[in-house]
Amino acid sequence: MPGVTDPPQVERVPDDDETPRRSVLSHRRESGRATAALVLGVAGLFLLPLVCSVMAIRVGGQALREIEAHPDLGGAERARAGRALGWIGIVAWLAAVVLAIVILAS
């Protein structure tokens, strides 16, 4: 198609010890679900704790399965971070509820 270009090819450059590594300027496809999990995890800490945190855990799991099925995708770190933030958000929300119950009961 006119106007559409292929992403840059990954260039492997040998080190002194001959281990290949990716060029700094290489381009790799990232999972959109991984980014969504990270955004939801952060939102779960500040905006809608329970809803966004649960969604971050769910979408992060979907992203990790997608990345595992398609090794050319990147973003596993984002998916894991989103899931971790989701769990932190849930624990913080539960702690706040328990603290509120304790304060109101006394």
Side-chain angles (χ1 to χ4, degrees):
M1 287 175 32
V4 176
T5 59
D6 291 332
Q9 297 296 318
V10 175
E11 177 183 340
R12 302 252 178 214
V13 181
D15 277 355
D16 293 335
D17 61 355
E18 296 298 322
T19 55
R21 66 179 189 188
R22 290 179 3 145
S23 171
V24 175
L25 300 176
S26 66
H27 184 275
R28 186 175 182 187
R29 285 184 24 197
E30 299 287 329
S31 169
R33 286 188 173 120
T35 303
L38 183 59
V39 169
L40 285 166
V42 171
L45 294 176
F46 300 107
L47 298 177
L48 298 170
L50 193 58
V51 175
C52 289
S53 293
V54 170
M55 290 183 67
I57 294 167
R58 183 170 174 88
V59 173
Q62 290 173 347
L64 289 173
R65 285 189 295 278
E66 176 185 37
I67 292 166
E68 186 177 317
H70 303 283
D72 60 321
L73 284 178
E77 297 83 12
R78 288 183 195 165
R80 285 189 204 101
R83 287 181 73 184
L85 288 172
W87 282 112
I88 291 169
I90 288 174
V91 169
W93 182 81
L94 288 173
V97 168
V98 169
L99 183 63
I101 291 171
V102 168
I103 289 174
L104 292 174
S106 49

